[in-house]
Amino acid sequence: MGYLRGDLSARGFAADVIEHDLRDPLPAALTGAFDVACTDPPYTVAGAELFLSRAVAGLAPGAGGHVFFSFGPRRPEETVRTQRLMADMGLALRSLTPGFNSYAGAGILAGTSHLYHLRATPGSRPAVTGRFDGPLYSAQTRAAATRPYRCAACGAVHEVGPGARWTRIAELKAAGCPACGGTVFRPQPLGAGQGAGPP
């Protein structure tokens, strides 16, 4: 916050800098108070939903408000989910500038993000209105998920991760496959789970 205040002051911009955790709803003084919202959310669809919701909550009621939303390139299904969130919140896409933002030193998603210029409509409403406690960042999403591993010897599938019998793959290898004692395991797609059949 100190850096932001100093930089704005040095450039001659008069601005109120307010620190707020966007997991919590906007303070009353910031709700419905702005014509423009600009946000650069974490690289997850959940983060997009939360940050877009807070942006919409901050816009003055009615049509015409602007949202400048930066979001990194994602797999097609995640892009569709994100764009559906925009439409569900009553935000119309005015333009999309690919690769608009570049982040020095950031390797994730090639260190770039696209810029969506969205416009509010009379029906614009935030999707998230209360406190948000879900995972927002890519690392949190990975940490919250277990991954299935298939035994190379017998094909049995075992979950590894938080809340599972083995929290790390090294533990499963050390213990061996409960079905056959094998110690070679192949990672399976997230969500494959115990329902996966033999190779």
Side-chain angles (χ1 to χ4, degrees), residues 119-199:
R119 295 295 302 270
T121 64
S124 292
R125 300 287 183 276
V128 178
T129 56
R131 166 79 184 174
F132 182 88
D133 289 312
L136 290 177
Y137 298 92
S138 301
Q140 292 174 320
T141 302
R142 288 192 300 271
T146 59
R147 178 180 289 278
Y149 284 82
R150 185 187 301 280
C151 175
C154 72
V157 176
H158 308 288
E159 294 289 330
V160 175
R165 181 174 174 184
W166 304 276
T167 58
R168 297 181 299 121
I169 185 58
E171 296 172 6
L172 175 57
K173 288 180 177 179
C177 174
C180 73
T183 58
V184 177
F185 300 90
R186 295 191 176 97
Q188 303 299 299
L190 289 174
Q194 295 288 351

Side-chain angles (χ1 to χ4, degrees), residues 22 42 49 59 71 80 93 95-96 116 125 128 134 144 179 197:
L22 288 181
E49 181 178 36
L59 292 177
F71 196 58
V80 168
L93 178 62
S95 66
L96 171 60
Y116 290 81
R125 300 287 183 276
V128 178

